[in-house]
Every structure is written in structure tokens, then in C-alpha cells.
Amino acid sequence: MDGDTLHERAGAVRDAVFGRAVFVRAVVELSNHCQRNCSYCGMRRDNRGLERFRLETAPLAESLLANIPESVTDINLQSGEDPQVVEEVALPLIGILRRETRLGISVSFGLLRDDLSRALRDAGAGYYVMKFETADAEQYRWLHAPAALERRLEAIRNLAAAGWRVSSGFIVGLPGAPPNATALALRLLEQLPLAGASVRPFIPGPETPLADAAPAPVEQALHCVALMRLASPRWFIPAVSAMAIGRKDAYTRALRNGANLATINLTPPHLRGSYPIYRRDRIIMTERLVLDHIAAAGCVPSPVGMLAWRPALPAAPINE
Ligand code: 5AD
């Protein structure tokens, strides 16, 4: 099968399970403090040039309640690995969001103590994003990715066993990748107990030890989106803003290739530059941009949230 056919087929598989509906979630980056030192990430501990911030619960809650765009059904709270922000900001914020809104709540806080992840679940979060970045244990170590690959995978399995819906993912084109890295990552995704999966192209961050490495062609990431959709028709698979960096149409193409999740960034504008996952001048997805890409892909925003969504049942059996 050639690439275009495979991509079209992936889009059709998404349509068969989810229709043309794309979930629209918001992301808020709560803190850029990070205990980790991943070579690929601009928030790494050793990046001393980065001014660190932690948002405060009350003003953030107030601003979110006033400004959540209408199309948004879910919210993803994210930060560097920073247990303090989980305890002091995320937990009370989730309480407020549960009381005041109907948003589904996702979190992405890295490896946490069991009591903290349990508290998040009790507070009402339901979806945990925990990427493994690379499925090659040696490359994982070489990149100084968090803990060890086995530990990370164990955490993913534990979260799923504790009732979380879990999403994982990897970065395609990371330096030091063995030739079969992509196949390994795709296979690992299939072996994990996941509700969602994601892929990002590697983008060298100027404030990291990998600043001079080559970026990944966005085509590779788009192809992985299609392979992931074909591997697992029911996964939540995001189109990610890193895809919109090189080629303007790549974000739309991710949605055509079977992605079904788009994210609007609601981090306070003056702090967005201080969350340099890859580059300070990353693309910030607004509601307008996201809705334009969804329309360009021939899709519509889902009226139902990710955490409320249920697959359609086949026609009911007839009782005589
Ligand atoms: N390129 C692409 N994605 C990156 N991430 C971190 N650094 C990079 C990079 N240079 C992703 C990782 C991490 C998330 C916060 O951002 O997947 O889990």
C-alpha cells in the first residue's frame, strides 16, 4: 500500500469509530519547574537560563472559568515534573473545575508518588498522559529521560490498573535512535493498556544539549499518526502543534490521517515563552486556528467530551 492510500485508510478507520468528530481540549501549563534533566527538553533542570514559574490557583481558576472557549469539552493540566504544583495548585483547581464545569480532566505531571496520583483521581481527573518517548531502553538512558524505561512503563501499567484512562506516546526522530526505533515504539504502544497515543516530531531546542541535532521530518510524524490509527481504531490520537511548525498544512493532515483530538493553549500568554518544551517560539494554537484546521480536514468539533464519549452500540437485538 502506498503512503497516501494508507493515510486515507487511517482517516476512514477514524470515521468508522468516531465519525468526523474531533475532540477539542484546552491545555494549561501549570509550572515549568522540573526535577528531570532530559537532554531533548528545554525545561530540563540544568537549563539555568530559564525563569521558572508556578501558576496560582485562584487567579487561574477565575481566568479559566471566564475564558474557556465554547468548543472545549476537556482540559489537560500539564507541568514539568513538579510535585509541589500538583499538591498546591492542581488538586484544588481540579476540585473547582469539577464543581463549576462539566469538563473532562486530563493530567500530565510525569512520575508521581502513589498518594499524589491517587489524590488526583479522587479529585476527579480521569485521563493521564505519560509518554515513554522512546521504546529503546539504551537510548532512553542516553537521553536522560525520566527514571528508566522499565520504571516508566510500570507507572503506565499501574495508572491503568488504578482506573485511569492512559495515553502514552513517543518522539519520532530523536537523536541516537536505532534504525527500528519507530517500529519498536509502535509495537510498544500496542502492548500497553492505553486509551490514547501520540507522536511528536523531534525539534532540537536551542537551550538543550541536542541543540545542533537534525529535526525530524514532519512527514514521519504524520505517517506514524496513520499507523497508530490503523493499529488501534479507538485510541484518542492528537494532532500536535509541533506538526504546525515546518509545514502549515501538517496539522490539518494529521486530522486527515486519523487524529481525532486538537488542543487549544490556555496558558497565560506572558508565560508561554517560559515553557520551552522544544522552542520558545513554538506555535500557540488558539480556538480560531484549531477550528480552522478541523474544518479544513472536513471534520467538526465533538459535542461530547473525551471522557464522556462511548462507542456507538450496534443495533439493539429485537426481543420478540
Ligand atoms: N521535540 C519534540 N518533543 C519534545 N518533548 C520534549 N522535548 C521535545 C523535543 N525537543 C515532548 C516530550 C515530553 C513533552 C513534555 O514534550 O514528549 O514528554
Side-chain angles (χ1 to χ4, degrees), residues 38-43 78-80 108 129-133 146 152 169-172 174-175 198-205 208 210 242 275-279:
C38 311
S39 318
Y40 45 85
C41 182
M43 281 197 302
Q78 220 181 70
S79 79
S108 185
V129 182
M130 167 95 69
K131 304 181 188 187
F132 56 72
E133 321 291 18
R152 189 89 169 168
F170 66 104
I171 305 175
V172 70
L174 269 173
S198 67
V199 58
R200 271 202 207 168
F202 169 69
I203 298 167
T208 69
L210 298 176
Y275 203 80
I277 295 179
Y278 42 93
R279 281 187 354 207

Side-chain angles (χ1 to χ4, degrees), residues 19-305:
R20 287 259 151 168
V22 171
F23 299 95
V24 180
R25 77 179 162 189
V27 63
V28 185
E29 292 142 346
L30 298 183
S31 156
N32 67 354
H33 290 264
C34 192
Q35 303 176 341
R36 302 293 179 175
N37 213 22
C38 311
S39 318
Y40 45 85
C41 182
M43 281 197 302
R44 62 203 306 272
R45 196 173 62 221
D46 283 355
N47 184 2
R48 310 255 182 254
L50 182 62
E51 223 175 288
R52 305 283 170 164
F53 71 87
R54 217 171 256 128
L55 296 184
E56 285 175 32
T57 314
L60 174 59
E62 192 180 330
S63 137
L64 285 178
L65 295 180
N67 296 309
I68 292 276
E70 208 171 318
S71 56
V72 166
T73 54
D74 293 79
I75 188 164
N76 182 25
L77 306 177
Q78 220 181 70
S79 79
E81 201 167 289
D82 178 18
Q84 187 179 333
V85 87
V86 174
E87 221 161 342
E88 295 177 4
V89 183
L91 285 172
L93 180 64
I94 291 170
I96 296 169
L97 292 171
R98 291 292 287 188
R99 272 196 308 281
E100 306 288 335
T101 77
R102 302 178 52 186
L103 296 170
I105 297 171
S106 307
V107 296
S108 185
F109 293 137
L111 294 166
L112 289 179
R113 302 193 311 266
D114 284 351
D115 62 306
L116 272 186
S117 53
R118 213 171 310 121
L120 287 168
R121 187 96 181 90
D122 291 344
Y127 195 85
Y128 205 112
V129 182
M130 167 95 69
K131 304 181 188 187
F132 56 72
E133 321 291 18
T134 167
D136 183 74
E138 198 181 317
Q139 186 196 21
Y140 191 97
R141 212 174 315 121
W142 180 75
L143 291 165
H144 299 280
L149 179 60
E150 245 339 291
R151 169 79 196 85
R152 189 89 169 168
L153 300 180
E154 181 188 84
I156 290 169
R157 293 190 190 101
N158 288 344
L159 287 166
W164 288 90
R165 308 191 74 196
V166 184
S167 175
S168 192
F170 66 104
I171 305 175
V172 70
L174 269 173
N180 61 343
T182 303
L184 276 180
L186 292 168
R187 193 170 337 131
L188 179 54
L189 284 172
E190 286 183 66
Q191 288 163 351
L192 291 169
L194 300 178
S198 67
V199 58
R200 271 202 207 168
F202 169 69
I203 298 167
E207 299 160 80
T208 69
L210 298 176
D212 297 328
V218 75
E219 290 301 325
Q220 276 182 19
L222 293 173
H223 192 60
C224 289
V225 165
L227 292 172
M228 291 184 327
R229 173 58 66 209
L230 292 170
S232 203
R234 288 191 182 185
W235 276 343
F236 298 106
I237 300 177
V240 301
S241 61
M243 291 171 179
I245 277 191
R247 307 194 31 162
K248 272 216 151 116
D249 64 343
Y251 196 96
T252 301
R253 283 177 54 215
L255 296 173
R256 291 214 184 100
N257 289 6
N260 64 338
L261 173 59
T263 308
I264 297 173
N265 191 302
L266 293 186
T267 302
H270 67 287
L271 293 173
R272 287 171 186 167
S274 302
Y275 203 80
I277 295 179
Y278 42 93
R279 281 187 354 207
R280 283 176 187 265
D281 61 339
R282 65 205 168 114
I283 308 265
I284 294 293
M285 298 305 288
T286 58
E287 184 185 36
R288 187 69 267 143
L289 273 175
V290 158
L291 294 180
D292 285 351
H293 282 291
I294 290 175
C299 295
V300 292
S302 171
V304 184

